Amino acid sequence: LAAGIAAALSSSAMAADMTVGFSQIGSESGWRAAETSVTKQQAETRGINLKFADAQQKQENQIKAIRGFIAQGVDAILVAPVVATGWDDVLTEAKDAKIPVVLLDRGIDGPEDLYLTSVASDQVKEGAVAGGWLVETVKDKPCKVVELQGTVGSTPAINRKKGFEQAIAGHSNITIIRSQTGDFTRSKGKEVMEGFLKAENGGKDICAVYAHNDDMAVGAIQAIKDAGLKPGKDILVVSIDGVPDIFAAMVAGEANATVELTPNMAGPAFDALAAFKKDGTVPPKFIITESKLYTPADDPKGEYERRKGLGY
Ligand code: AHR
């Protein structure tokens, strides 16, 4: 694939002005909206003509958009795959058309030769960092955890669950008592948390909520407050993303930890495509972004302002 694409890319079509199709999942979370705006900014700065398609959370829309990009003869395709399975056919069509595909922020279950590279975090590590924080925080105290999972079948939901479970394994005082999807949205996170609170003695039996993203955590925080409890104190809140609203919650004492996921997946993706275009340099298959833990000790007010300044 690489040699074939390299030949195609050295053609004049890729010389100065690249046209790149971006199939985005939707706008389910603050992080997703930030990724969209950063991708548009990165494209503009580099003089890339970006064709943007919002799939409204539906894989069928993403497949349609990718087929549209292939028909238009774009120079490359970025795709944030909503779920892990079901990509082989459409990505084979892109490969046959010699259009390089870069996966952004989520992975797929499929042959690695269907994409040039994948720019994403180590999602198992993200879950492990969140779980490790909880282990350190509760020490030997008994802790019943409720888990808000991301979109069913998506790699971050699968991997963040796995990483968290690995981190708490061997700590029998920490147990996940309930786990359900909140689909990465604030409204679903609130709704599911309300159910958990009702089922667990009004929340009095819950020690911590682990949310696969900050938006669901923010929804859960609201549900905890509505139930008359103090999030961050009566129930610990740990999540993933590092969006401004979770830092605002930390400032208010209502959230305890988040694992940052950079919304700048497009920068490394465009760098890889530019190098590939220039002389056929094949990037590493997986470009892994950082997973840094933030707690209220890490200047949440400053982190909030910094992210707002970046256009989150
Ligand atoms: O794939 C990354 C995840 O998708 C983010 O953590 C979440 O906020 C988003 O919806």
Side-chain angles (χ1 to χ4, degrees):
L1 171 76
I5 292 175
L9 295 188
S10 62
S11 72
S12 58
M14 289 293 286
D17 49 335
M18 236 195 311
T19 294
V20 177
F22 176 24
S23 169
Q24 177 60 295
I25 292 170
S27 51
E28 72 281 2
S29 65
W31 184 89
R32 183 69 51 201
E35 186 193 47
T36 295
S37 76
V38 171
T39 304
K40 289 179 177 172
Q41 284 164 24
Q42 287 284 340
E44 202 183 324
T45 311
R46 294 158 194 257
I48 290 169
N49 174 24
L50 190 76
K51 291 182 176 291
F52 179 77
D54 178 334
Q56 316 263 327
Q57 316 298 317
K58 292 200 172 79
Q59 184 179 35
E60 66 202 71
N61 291 345
Q62 291 203 282
I63 291 173
K64 230 182 268 168
I66 294 169
R67 292 211 164 108
F69 294 145
I70 296 169
Q72 291 167 54
V74 298
D75 301 305
I77 293 171
L78 306 181
V79 55
V82 60
V83 290
T85 56
W87 299 99
D88 288 13
D89 289 352
V90 73
L91 295 191
T92 301
E93 289 165 36
K95 180 181 167 182
D96 291 346
K98 301 200 174 2
I99 299 173
V101 170
V102 177
L103 305 182
L104 291 194
D105 76 83
R106 296 187 185 182
I108 61 165
D109 280 346
E112 288 184 5
D113 70 343
L114 292 181
Y115 51 94
L116 177 69
T117 183
S118 157
V119 185
S121 55
D122 177 340
Q123 297 157 347
V124 175
K125 182 175 170 194
E126 289 171 328
V129 171
W133 172 84
L134 189 66
V135 167
E136 289 292 307
T137 303
V138 302
K139 302 199 168 30
D140 293 337
K141 284 192 218 109
C143 184
K144 291 181 178 171
V145 181
V146 295
E147 178 182 32
L148 292 166
Q149 294 184 39
T151 300
V152 174
S154 69
T155 55
I158 297 163
N159 294 329
R160 288 172 182 172
K161 178 166 187 53
K162 190 172 163 189
F164 188 87
E165 285 173 352
Q166 283 173 0
I168 64 167
H171 299 272
S172 55
N173 56 315
I174 303 176
T175 46
I176 299 175
I177 53 166
R178 287 181 189 268
S179 182
Q180 204 178 309
T181 182
D183 212 9
F184 281 130
T185 69
R186 200 171 286 209
S187 57
K188 263 309 239 3
K190 178 169 180 280
E191 190 188 310
V192 174
M193 189 67 196
E194 283 165 357
F196 287 163
L197 290 160
K198 256 187 218 131
E200 297 298 333
N201 195 17
K204 290 181 197 71
D205 294 342
I206 301 172
C207 150
V209 54
Y210 164 47
H212 290 189
N213 81 345
D214 288 345
D215 275 69
M216 292 190 293
V218 170
I221 287 170
Q222 191 55 51
I224 296 167
K225 290 206 274 193
D226 292 351
L229 295 173
K230 289 194 178 68
K233 294 183 183 73
D234 297 329
I235 298 181
L236 300 172
V237 179
V238 54
S239 53
I240 293 164
D241 272 357
V243 297
D245 284 353
I246 207 71
F247 287 105
M250 278 188 200
V251 172
E254 295 175 346
N256 307 89
T258 188
V259 184
E260 182 178 43
L261 175 67
T262 176
N264 184 15
M265 302 281 161
F270 289 145
D271 286 347
L273 283 169
F276 188 58
K277 166 194 162 189
K278 197 168 157 237
D279 55 16
T281 303
V282 178
K285 200 74 224 178
F286 298 97
I287 299 173
I288 310 289
T289 63
E290 233 196 300
S291 303
K292 187 172 174 315
L293 178 75
Y294 284 86
T295 71
D298 299 305
D299 184 21
K301 195 167 183 310
E303 290 302 331
Y304 174 87
E305 302 293 349
R306 192 167 71 77
R307 283 165 176 75
K308 281 288 187 196
L310 288 170
Y312 271 46

